[in-house]
Structure formats: C-alpha cells, structure tokens
Amino acid sequence: MTLSEITTEVRNITGVDSTTVVSDAIIYDLVNEAQYQLCDEANLLQGYATRNSVADTREYPMKDSSSDEVTDWAIYQTNLSSGTTASTSLETMTRIFRVDFDGDMCQRIGINEISDISGDASLSNITTSYAYYIHDDKLGIFPTPNEVKEIKIYYYRLPHLMFSDATCDITNSNADVSMDSTSLVREGMNVSGAEIGSPDKTVLTVTNTTSFRMSANATTTTGGSVSNTTLIFGKPEIDERYQRILIYYPCWRVSERLRDLNLISYFKNEWLEQKQRVIMERQSRDGSPILTVPYNDF
C-alpha cells in the first residue's frame, strides 16, 4: 500500500471526506507515527554502516550534534541502492545489535566498566579481542585502536519519513524533478502524483539539494512543463503483510478528533492487538525472547 492508498482507506473507514476537518498532512503524520512505533518496538528494519578507525582514537561520533557533524560513515540499508559516500550520519538508528572490528565481533560493555579496568592490557571481563560501548552519541572501541581497521555497526532503525511536497517542477518526457529541498528524499522511495503519470515511479538518484531523478520519465497532463505541483513520497518500508495495520492507528487518532467513543475504543484495541502480534511474530522468527522493557541507544 502507498501512503495515498492508506490515507484513502482511513477516510473511507472513518467517513471523514473533508480535508478541512482532517487534512491529508495530519493523516500522513499519523501513518508515520504508526510505522515508527511498529518498527521501533518490533525491530522490523535493519541496516549496517562502516568506517575506518583512527589510530589512537577510541570514540567515533555516529549522529550530528551541536559539536560534531558526522560525515564518515558509509550506510547500507534496504531502501538504498548502495552504500552512501561520506556524507551522512546514522540519523535513523535506534539500537545497535552487533559491532565488528577488523572482521571480528566485539563484546558490548558499559562505559562504567572501562573505569574499573586498570589498563588496556587488563581485559579480565572481556572475552573478545575488542569490546564496544555507547557514550552519548558516540561509539567507543576498547582497547583504543592503534591502527586503521574497519568498524562495522549492525543496527535497527526507524523508517524514513513519508511526505508530500507542493514545490515540485516537472517536465514532460523527463525524469528529472526540481523542488525546494530534497532533504527528506531517499533513493528507492515511491513517488506518485497526477503530473508524473501512471504507474508510480521510484527515486533513482538524489542529484543534489534541490533535484532528483525518477526511475522513468514523467507524463504530464498538459504535455509540457508543470511548476509547483504536489508529489507524494514514500510507501511503508515494512513487510507488506503488516502494512494494513498502519490503518488502525490513524483511524484511532482521527476518531478521537471526531469524539466518537465507540470508534476510539475499537480502533485503539485493534491497533494495540495487531502491533503486539507483529512484535511477537518478529521475535519468534528471530528466536529472541519477548522484550518486556524495550530500550533505545539514542
């Protein structure tokens, strides 16, 4: 299902046809919230990233902060055609489930454990050659690397934001699209809209900060160029088996706006029940015990 299809289904179920009562943008936000919760609690999306260590450097920033702009991770995710160049931080990462250093798996330790170790040679509680820890938004490697080796992080992540943009400029028989900002656009995203024709396209390449290229040429309704038209970006990144679950959450929240107590209770219960089924199925497939207290690294 695409974002547009989910939105239409929410309107059909709740009977809210008017965008003045509930705008499309509000429903988009609710669908994103639902997918965020599902992915975070059930660990549905994974990725990995690599970078090289620096001699005599223990900690490596993973996310942008007021003091650090992270530009040295190559990211590999299911919605990206290949690893990125050194241009982005690990912005959607929620928790790390494995770290390798120089091809060998590292044991995870707490940062407080380091102060209890008298020196790098004293590794009495560490069963691997190297260990890793999380310190704020930095990854720490212990003992401190003294040469350049590959660091590889495997992690769970949040989905990318699905959204619409009304600043898109399109030319007939051309795959390039210009817009005010491509900051939210990702390779592999579904793209739909009246002015690009049918079927939907995907984002082939993000060319720069204000343009991207689609997987096929646009077919505009006028046969010419169109300015400031609306395109809808994205469809759920989760498995197609779970996508209909995303309808229940916005239906619940829209029902709250309508103050329909019967619908509020029904859709809330359906959302919570279906979400728990996905969590249990995902953990069963992983052979993992059910998390009673989910945690985030960030």
Side-chain angles (χ1 to χ4, degrees), residues 45-281:
L45 299 179
Q46 300 180 10
Y48 70 89
T50 64
R51 62 154 293 162
N52 287 331
S53 63
V54 177
D56 302 320
T57 300
R58 178 181 291 177
E59 295 187 348
Y60 303 88
M62 294 181 287
K63 294 191 175 187
D64 291 341
S65 66
S66 58
S67 58
D68 294 299
E69 181 180 356
V70 180
T71 60
D72 41 16
W73 291 96
I75 300 175
Y76 298 80
Q77 293 174 178
T78 55
N79 67 314
L80 299 177
S81 58
S82 62
T84 66
T85 56
S87 61
T88 189
S89 66
L90 308 184
E91 57 181 10
T92 62
M93 178 170 62
T94 57
R95 58 182 67 92
I96 294 170
F97 63 88
R98 174 173 170 170
V99 172
D100 290 355
F101 183 73
D102 192 24
D104 294 327
M105 185 169 67
C106 299
Q107 177 182 336
R108 180 166 183 162
I109 60 175
I111 188 171
N112 292 334
E113 294 180 54
I114 296 175
S115 60
D116 296 330
I117 299 174
S118 58
D120 285 0
S122 176
L123 303 175
S124 57
N125 295 322
I126 299 175
T127 59
T128 55
S129 298
Y130 286 86
Y132 79 94
Y133 62 90
I134 306 299
H135 180 206
D136 295 329
D137 59 356
K138 298 179 178 65
L139 175 76
I141 302 295
F142 186 85
T144 303
N146 56 17
E147 56 186 332
V148 176
K149 299 290 185 181
E150 183 185 69
I151 302 171
K152 190 172 186 178
I153 298 177
Y154 298 86
Y155 58 85
Y156 297 114
R157 67 178 180 86
L158 294 176
H160 292 303
L161 187 71
M162 296 179 285
F163 65 99
S164 65
D165 191 287
T167 69
C168 299
D169 300 332
I170 301 167
T171 301
N172 189 57
S173 299
N174 195 311
D176 293 319
V177 178
S178 297
M179 58 194 301
D180 284 359
S181 173
T182 56
S183 61
L184 297 177
V185 180
R186 300 291 183 271
E187 294 175 3
M189 271 187 163
N190 177 269
V191 186
S192 63
E195 295 299 343
I196 64 171
S198 182
D200 292 353
K201 313 296 188 289
T202 58
V203 176
L204 186 63
T205 305
V206 179
T207 311
N208 53 47
T209 58
T210 58
S211 66
F212 70 92
R213 177 165 293 176
M214 299 185 295
S215 57
N217 290 340
T219 305
T220 63
T221 56
T222 63
S225 298
V226 180
S227 298
N228 291 328
T229 189
T230 298
L231 294 181
I232 300 175
F233 294 82
K235 64 179 180 180
E237 291 189 67
I238 62 176
D239 192 303
E240 290 184 359
R241 295 175 301 162
Y242 306 143
Q243 290 181 7
R244 289 198 63 83
I245 298 174
L246 301 181
I247 295 171
Y248 292 118
Y249 183 82
C251 283
W252 162 29
R253 300 301 301 274
V254 168
S255 297
E256 288 181 334
R257 290 172 176 266
L258 301 176
R259 294 179 173 82
D260 189 322
L261 298 181
N262 291 327
L263 288 181
I264 290 172
S265 177
Y266 174 77
F267 288 121
K268 179 179 180 179
N269 290 337
E270 284 295 314
W271 160 251
L272 294 175
E273 180 180 336
Q274 295 298 328
K275 182 178 69 169
Q276 188 60 28
R277 286 182 180 178
V278 173
I279 293 171
M280 294 181 70
E281 178 184 344

